[in-house]
Amino acid sequence: MQNASVDLHFASILDKVKPWTIKNRLRPGGRCQGVSLPRAKQGAAHPQNAASPAQNQKRRSVCPVACTLDLLGDKWTLLVVRDLLHGKSHFKEFLASPEGIATNILAERLARLTANGLIERCPSGDTVGKEGYRLTEKGLSLRALMAQIRSWGLDHIDGTDARLQADGSITLSN
């Protein structure tokens, strides 16, 4: 009984201290005050990539993993990239994917990928007056990452099956 009251008291203290710590210890850009890494550890050997205004809007830090996850690390974005890599290019084709993405989510993901230079709008070869989407060179560079994610899933998650082929056809399960 006494431990429960101590835990509640400690939790209330943490609730008061935590906001102060976050507000007073973090600088814009996500770096803590008083923490300094040697120049070599800060990535001095790598040229900094110039960020577009779209990329800077929601950046939590300068960490490349965090920035990549901010762009690609949600439930739907890599599935849209997967579909683009497999030949889909129209809004209706993305909606037909088995995962069942909602139209508002799809529209937002396509806009975000376009704003960040991974995809571009292009005239549709199928329908006059309609536009489609295609991966840019930057977007196509995700092909190796997608292959690694696919391989990892096949190797480590029971019940997975690679059904989409590069030509857009579907392979049936064994």
Side-chain angles (χ1 to χ4, degrees), residues 21-35 56-63:
T21 304
I22 291 170
K23 183 173 75 175
N24 292 304
R25 295 279 295 164
L26 290 180
R27 293 182 184 161
R31 295 200 175 161
C32 292
Q33 292 175 342
V35 176
N56 281 332
Q57 288 175 359
K58 296 184 181 178
R59 184 175 283 178
R60 291 180 286 170
S61 73
V62 295
C63 172

Side-chain angles (χ1 to χ4, degrees), residues 37-162:
L37 294 173
R39 186 76 178 136
K41 298 285 184 186
Q42 293 178 4
H46 300 287
Q48 284 191 331
N49 294 325
S52 71
Q55 292 169 325
N56 281 332
Q57 288 175 359
K58 296 184 181 178
R59 184 175 283 178
R60 291 180 286 170
S61 73
V62 295
C63 172
V65 174
C67 292
T68 301
L69 288 174
D70 287 343
L71 177 58
L72 302 172
D74 64 80
K75 183 176 178 178
W76 297 107
T77 304
L78 286 178
L79 295 176
V80 173
V81 171
R82 174 205 64 191
D83 288 348
L84 284 158
L85 285 168
H86 288 98
K88 293 184 180 183
S89 62
H90 293 93
F91 198 87
K92 287 183 178 182
E93 292 173 321
F94 299 121
L95 290 176
S97 291
E99 292 80 17
I101 188 169
T103 57
N104 62 325
I105 302 283
L106 176 57
E108 192 280 326
R109 295 314 184 272
L110 290 170
R112 185 185 334 154
L113 289 168
T114 302
N116 285 281
L118 277 81
I119 66 173
E120 61 188 359
R121 293 183 76 119
C122 58
S124 174
D126 303 343
T127 312
V128 177
K130 291 266 186 176
E131 285 190 324
Y133 296 90
R134 66 178 168 218
L135 291 161
T136 62
E137 186 175 330
K138 183 177 177 180
L140 286 169
S141 70
L142 291 169
R143 186 182 303 272
L145 173 68
M146 297 298 290
Q148 288 293 319
I149 291 171
R150 176 186 172 274
S151 292
W152 190 91
L154 287 170
D155 293 344
H156 299 288
I157 302 175
D158 291 337
T160 58
D161 187 18

